[in-house]
Amino acid sequence: MNTRIEKVESFIVKGFEMKGDVSQIPALWDKLNGALCESGASKSEESYGITLAMENGNFHYIAGVRKEFAEGMVDSKEVVVPSGNFIVAKVDGGVDQIPAVFGALMQMPGINLRHSYGFEKYLHPEGSEGYETEVWVAIE
């Protein structure tokens, strides 16, 4: 698995949240995509799936875009992703592989985890048919 280290400045993600089983996440993305189309919000070339907490198999998760691309979205939530360093890896094999990539990054030798949000970043450049997925884990 190829990895890289990225330093990011704090940014705000605005979208929809859920608290529950991981099986509810695809419907959350459908809701976000529908709201972005309905609101006429600017087209973002990236979106984020942020895990705010996990407890006993339940997720507190937000599917969203950077705040500046979420104009007009109603009933949405915001989360601030704090600045800092992240170790990043591309997810090969589809979204089913996201947990395995998170796990591998969190157990890499020589990496000191930092208390912050981990997230998926979906890259979907304008004009492309699909998207690439990356996993970002906060590190010291």
Side-chain angles (χ1 to χ4, degrees):
M1 170 172 52
N2 293 325
T3 62
R4 69 182 190 277
I5 305 293
E6 295 276 347
K7 181 172 179 73
V8 300
E9 295 300 319
S10 175
F11 62 96
I12 299 172
V13 170
K14 187 172 181 178
F16 297 103
E17 73 177 332
M18 54 80 54
K19 294 178 183 176
D21 187 75
V22 69
S23 65
Q24 297 174 4
I25 291 176
L28 194 64
W29 282 100
D30 290 343
K31 181 178 179 179
L32 174 68
N33 292 328
L36 288 170
C37 289
E38 193 175 291
S39 71
S42 300
K43 176 121 172 121
S44 173
E45 292 188 357
E46 55 193 37
S47 53
Y48 299 87
I50 302 174
T51 301
L52 302 172
M54 271 190 316
E55 187 176 324
N56 299 326
N58 286 318
F59 283 78
H60 184 189
Y61 182 90
I62 289 185
V65 295
R66 287 188 184 243
K67 183 178 179 176
E68 58 267 27
F69 294 105
E71 299 167 11
M73 279 187 6
V74 294
D75 299 326
S76 57
K77 302 290 183 188
E78 292 183 5
V79 63
V80 176
V81 176
S83 60
N85 292 323
F86 290 82
I87 187 165
V88 182
K90 182 179 174 186
V91 176
D92 292 317
V95 294
D96 291 343
Q97 297 304 310
I98 291 172
V101 175
F102 265 116
L105 288 177
M106 291 171 53
Q107 298 194 18
M108 287 189 77
I111 295 295
N112 294 315
L113 300 177
R114 175 173 55 90
H115 184 72
S116 188
Y117 305 123
F119 59 89
E120 306 112 51
K121 182 177 182 179
Y122 298 91
L123 307 163
H124 31 86
E126 191 171 341
S128 69
E129 297 272 328
Y131 59 90
E132 288 185 11
T133 306
E134 295 178 333
V135 167
W136 293 57
V137 174
I139 61 171
E140 293 294 331

